[in-house]
Amino acid sequence: MSKSVPVGVSARHIHLTQEHVEVLFGQGYQLTEFKPLSQPGQFAANETVAVIGSKGQFDKVRILGPARPASQLEISRTDSFAIGVKAPVRESGNIDGTPGVTLKGPAGEVTLEEGVIVAARHIHFHTSDAQAWGIQDKQMLKVRLGGERGLVLENVVARVSDSFALDMHIDTDEANAAGANNGDTAEIID
């Protein structure tokens, strides 16, 4: 039985607390939806912020909504070199001891003491998909990306929840190495 999953390529983006949204955009400000994402209830916002590191900055980093309990910047390893931040590979939400950056919006600035990560490659599974394929939450998987520059990715984290939709998330460095694009498919091989 083939275990094919759709591929989603995650460019650099940021998740913000409501408090940080209001500091950056003004009191009472609410993020507005630019387009829905693959995960139910998640969206790319119209709003962007500047991200400033010790060596450089990125203008117009897209905010993903809705607001979260902690602010978190997800970048690629190449991005981390460009702005001078030694971001570790971590699962989303695991930001303890990570470096910070300064964020600049139209209404103000926020300095994050921590929260910059290179997101661990992962696959979101709805509980029913995971059960059908015998996959457990936090299980490490091996996944093949096909194509002209195909490769096998190891240490792909399974994330299982009733609120998830089946989708593999890799960053731009991983996608470029494999020549992969949004909407391609990958196969779980182990």
Side-chain angles (χ1 to χ4, degrees):
M1 173 168 121
S2 174
K3 297 177 183 173
S4 294
V5 296
V7 174
V9 180
S10 286
R12 71 179 75 105
H13 62 273
I14 191 162
H15 303 279
L16 295 173
T17 64
Q18 183 58 35
E19 175 187 355
H20 288 161
V21 169
E22 293 186 27
V23 170
L24 295 164
F25 293 92
Q27 188 170 4
Y29 194 88
Q30 296 293 314
L31 296 173
T32 59
E33 185 174 321
F34 171 63
K35 68 177 181 179
L37 299 176
S38 65
Q39 296 309 302
Q42 304 290 309
F43 61 90
N46 287 301
E47 295 79 11
T48 62
V49 293
V51 172
I52 304 161
S54 64
K55 286 186 176 178
Q57 76 178 49
F58 297 123
D59 297 320
K60 298 186 178 180
V61 174
R62 180 83 52 200
I63 301 169
L64 301 187
R68 294 238 179 137
S71 291
Q72 170 181 294
L73 173 67
E74 296 182 30
I75 59 177
S76 69
R77 181 73 73 210
T78 300
D79 288 343
S80 73
F81 298 143
I83 62 171
V85 175
K86 291 185 178 182
V89 175
R90 296 277 184 89
E91 282 191 61
S92 182
N94 180 5
I95 61 171
D96 290 345
T98 59
V101 289
T102 298
L103 309 176
K104 188 172 185 178
E109 282 189 12
V110 170
T111 298
L112 300 180
E113 298 300 320
E114 62 184 10
V116 182
I117 66 168
V118 173
R121 52 187 167 238
H122 58 278
I123 301 175
H124 291 276
F125 291 91
H126 186 272
T127 307
S128 61
D129 293 320
Q131 287 173 345
W133 291 347
I135 293 171
Q136 304 297 314
D137 189 42
K138 306 296 183 194
Q139 182 177 341
M140 291 299 198
L141 304 170
K142 190 184 291 188
V143 180
R144 178 182 295 120
L145 291 167
E148 187 177 16
R149 300 190 72 200
L151 54 80
V152 173
L153 297 174
E154 297 188 4
N155 303 320
V156 179
V157 182
R159 298 181 57 199
V160 179
S161 170
D162 285 339
S163 64
F164 290 160
L166 185 63
D167 200 31
M168 177 175 177
H169 290 171
I170 58 175
D171 70 23
T172 52
D173 285 350
E174 294 161 326
N176 288 339
N181 295 296
N182 280 317
D184 286 355
T185 55
E187 183 182 2
I188 299 168
I189 56 176
D190 189 22

